[in-house]
Amino acid sequence: MNTNIRTNVIVNLIRTLALTILSFMTFPWVCRVLGDAQLGLYTWCNTFVYYFLVLAKIGLPNLALRECVKVRDDKEKLSNKAQGFFILQSVTTILSFGLMCSFVFAVPSLFDAKSIIFLLSINFISGAFSFEWIFMALEKQFYISVRSIIVLALSALLIITLVRNPDDVYIYALITAGVTVITSIINCFFVTKFISFKKTMPYDLKEYAKPLFTLCTLSFMLALYNQTDTLILGFINSDKTQVGSYSVGIKGIEIIIGIITSLSTVFIPRATWYYQKEDKRFFKNLFRYSVNICSFIVVPAIIIMCFLSKEICSIIAGNDGYQYAALILIILSFMMLTYSLGDIIYGQILIPMKKEKYYLYAMLGGVALNIGLSFLLGLLVFKDNPAVGVAIGTIVTDILVLAFLVSICWKWIYKGIFSLNNLKIILGGLITIIPSVLLTIVFPIGSFFTNVDIITQTLLQMVIVAVIDFIIYVVSLILMKEDLVYSFIKKSPKEPV
């Protein structure tokens, strides 16, 4: 485990930022071309297929990652575990696809959308052959980053070139599914450098029965938790326009959450290694470092998205349709913090300690509460704009789930979350409220650019406000000697782990 954790974080951050830029290039284009109804239809179908893709995985990636980390220095044992997990993944993929087909042909609303659903089902083929957990266990972050950027850049080019009108939603579905296929093909080619597919040892699959049951249930409940809001909104809103608005509103949130969860995956192999070696000091320090990074990114992101919500949604989807998207973005902005912290606790505390059952309990309660609140608020309280009601139900649920996880893991995490350093980050974020108010409400900076079109004006306002906020934020953290920022300007930065 001699790979520098900071190097892995930086490489992964570069990858995530590159993918974010590519996403921002394609998603606004798709919003404008497809429109809210077709985008809502795609989102709804993708959510449905996603449930069965998760069921096909039955929690295998996390279990495989944890088990492969233990034997990563022994190629024969690593190959044996990889072969066993591949067999299990192939069986579950076939069973899950068959179950999905039965639902499609039994439910009329799903049958009407069968073309898009089966195009997105191409992901099943690639699921069994991805072997992503091998590369994660071996901490091959550079390979993962380069591959991801190339494949996503290709898909972005195809989307902009081929998706030209609302009827091209089928082409869009095919391209998005094709990303995972290409990724799996590349992985299959390179994975042979690290493992062999020649059987040299018997497979001991029985030892995985109990953890797989827990992880399978957890994975499905996590999928429900992540997608319940969109799925319920699709049933409440028959023409799917509110689903389109919701997907635009949550897009900015998903980008930041994606950055944090992507960075968090870098720490899972190292956290597992430290806990296995009973190195509790480094185990806790790793969590503290991860939370530090999370707070540094999320706190200013919340403030910027609240003050620039209209501009962000306008850039993403244009000014036609997608009503309430900006309000949804504001409501859900705090999920960037609550969801990210919950994911860090799960990946870096509960998985290494083999206590995933507590996260399962959290997801069970979260799903039940989210369903109840979404229907209550979406159908009764906000019946004229159910997307807003569903958004409120989702953020309330997420806060309660995080509170439960913190109480369960208090011994291991309280110093990492409730620290003086995180207070410095919050104070630095609060300071940026002043320039945000001045530049977006008192003296809207975009209004000074009268000789440019509305899109350019909006972009200029976003960039100027974000840059000024960031400069003030970083300077304030330097003055307060915040750990993460200050470590980069010291002559001999101390590695946190």
Side-chain angles (χ1 to χ4, degrees):
M1 300 290 289
N2 56 359
T3 306
N4 186 290
I5 191 69
R6 177 174 285 178
T7 301
N8 278 345
V9 169
I10 293 173
V11 169
N12 195 275
L13 181 60
I14 293 172
R15 174 178 71 92
T16 307
L17 291 176
L19 299 185
T20 299
I21 293 172
L22 290 171
S23 177
F24 255 111
M25 289 172 57
T26 57
F27 193 73
W29 174 272
V30 170
C31 288
R32 289 169 172 78
V33 171
L34 296 185
D36 52 4
Q38 288 290 71
L39 179 62
L41 175 63
Y42 167 84
T43 303
W44 187 64
C45 293
N46 193 47
T47 300
F48 172 74
V49 174
Y50 176 75
Y51 285 134
F52 292 92
L53 289 172
V54 170
L55 184 62
K57 292 179 180 179
I58 62 168
L60 271 169
N62 284 335
L63 178 61
L65 174 59
R66 187 175 69 197
E67 294 300 315
C68 288
V69 166
K70 296 177 182 178
V71 295
R72 52 176 286 166
D73 297 322
D74 188 323
K75 183 175 181 179
E76 184 179 12
K77 291 181 179 179
L78 179 64
S79 299
N80 176 262
K81 286 188 178 291
Q83 294 164 21
F85 285 123
F86 172 70
I87 293 171
L88 287 172
Q89 184 75 87
S90 300
V91 173
T92 57
T93 296
I94 294 172
L95 293 175
S96 182
F97 180 73
L99 181 62
M100 189 204 73
C101 291
S102 66
F103 274 91
V104 171
F105 289 104
V107 180
S109 59
L110 294 173
F111 186 78
D112 292 339
K114 63 181 182 299
S115 298
I116 296 180
I117 288 175
F118 283 120
L119 280 174
L120 293 171
S121 298
I122 294 174
N123 287 305
F124 279 99
I125 300 174
S126 59
F129 296 92
S130 76
F131 294 104
E132 191 76 353
W133 32 272
I134 288 288
F135 298 100
M136 290 300 301
L138 297 174
E139 297 190 72
K140 301 297 179 181
Q141 293 298 325
F142 183 78
Y143 160 76
I144 294 173
S145 299
V146 172
R147 183 211 63 206
S148 299
I149 292 172
I150 292 174
V151 173
L152 265 295
L154 176 61
S155 71
L157 179 63
L158 290 174
I159 288 172
I160 294 174
T161 304
L162 301 178
V163 180
R164 294 288 180 172
N165 59 69
D167 292 334
D168 290 338
V169 65
Y170 301 100
I171 297 176
Y172 178 60
L174 181 61
I175 293 172
T176 55
V179 169
T180 57
V181 174
I182 296 174
T183 298
S184 295
I185 292 173
I186 296 173
N187 280 357
C188 286
F189 177 78
F190 283 102
V191 78
T192 55
K193 294 184 177 181
F194 308 107
I195 64 170
S196 170
F197 285 98
K198 182 180 179 181
K199 183 179 179 181
T200 58
M201 304 168 60
Y203 304 129
D204 187 12
L205 303 182
K206 292 182 180 180
E207 65 173 314
Y208 305 134
K210 185 177 180 180
L212 269 181
F213 176 77
T214 301
L215 287 170
C216 175
T217 309
L218 174 57
S219 296
F220 191 68
M221 296 310 299
L222 183 59
L224 279 173
Y225 183 76
N226 288 338
Q227 303 291 333
T228 293
D229 47 1
T230 303
L231 193 66
I232 289 176
L233 188 57
F235 284 111
I236 294 175
N237 179 230
S238 58
D239 63 3
K240 305 297 186 293
T241 55
Q242 292 267 323
V243 181
S245 296
Y246 194 88
S247 64
V248 170
I250 204 172
K251 186 64 178 178
I253 307 300
E254 290 178 336
I255 289 172
I256 299 299
I257 290 177
I259 291 174
I260 302 300
T261 54
S262 178
L263 290 175
S264 180
T265 59
V266 175
F267 295 92
I268 294 177
R270 191 66 63 98
T272 302
W273 179 264
Y274 284 151
Y275 190 80
Q276 179 187 352
K277 298 298 181 183
E278 298 185 354
D279 195 336
K280 302 302 186 291
R281 182 173 69 88
F282 279 117
F283 182 69
K284 290 181 178 180
N285 282 349
L286 188 69
F287 177 80
R288 175 187 56 79
Y289 186 44
S290 182
V291 171
N292 196 172
I293 295 173
C294 171
S295 302
F296 175 78
I297 295 173
V298 166
V299 169
I302 291 174
I303 294 169
I304 288 174
M305 288 196 179
C306 285
F307 282 97
L308 294 174
S309 59
K310 291 183 179 179
E311 289 81 359
I312 292 171
C313 292
S314 176
I315 292 298
I316 292 176
N319 296 313
D320 298 326
Y322 302 103
Q323 191 178 16
Y324 304 113
L327 179 58
I328 291 168
L329 177 58
I330 294 173
I331 293 171
L332 295 177
S333 62
F334 285 92
M335 272 189 68
M336 292 185 289
L337 179 62
T338 56
Y339 188 91
S340 297
L341 285 177
D343 185 76
I344 291 172
I345 292 172
Y346 169 56
Q348 297 174 41
I349 301 295
L350 296 177
I351 286 181
M353 296 173 67
K354 298 183 180 181
K355 293 185 177 181
E356 297 91 344
K357 64 179 181 179
Y358 293 111
Y359 199 64
L360 173 59
Y361 299 154
M363 292 298 100
L364 284 169
V367 168
L369 184 60
N370 200 10
I371 291 174
L373 289 176
S374 294
F375 274 116
L376 175 64
L377 298 176
L379 281 176
L380 300 178
V381 181
F382 296 92
K383 56 184 177 181
D384 293 330
N385 43 20
V388 174
V390 171
I392 294 174
T394 299
I395 184 60
V396 170
T397 300
D398 211 56
I399 292 172
L400 294 176
V401 166
L402 176 61
F404 172 78
L405 292 173
V406 170
S407 66
I408 291 296
C409 302
W410 179 262
K411 172 185 174 182
W412 299 95
I413 69 174
Y414 74 96
K415 289 185 179 179
I417 296 178
F418 303 100
S419 65
L420 176 61
N421 192 67
N422 283 336
L423 181 60
K424 293 177 182 178
I425 291 175
I426 293 172
L427 289 175
L430 292 175
I431 290 172
T432 64
I433 292 178
I434 298 174
S436 296
V437 170
L438 291 174
L439 296 175
T440 61
I441 300 176
V442 181
F443 306 107
I445 192 69
S447 62
F448 291 96
F449 301 97
T450 56
N451 297 324
V452 296
D453 59 83
I454 187 64
I455 295 178
T456 304
Q457 187 182 79
T458 302
L459 274 173
L460 286 171
Q461 172 153 325
M462 287 177 57
V463 171
I464 292 172
V465 173
V467 170
I468 292 176
D469 279 1
F470 182 74
I471 292 173
I472 293 174
Y473 175 65
V474 172
V475 170
S476 66
L477 294 184
I478 292 174
L479 293 176
M480 289 186 285
K481 296 185 178 180
E482 188 275 329
D483 291 345
L484 185 65
V485 175
Y486 198 64
S487 69
F488 281 96
I489 63 174
K490 288 190 291 186
K491 293 182 179 180
S492 301
K494 181 181 177 181
E495 284 292 329
V497 289

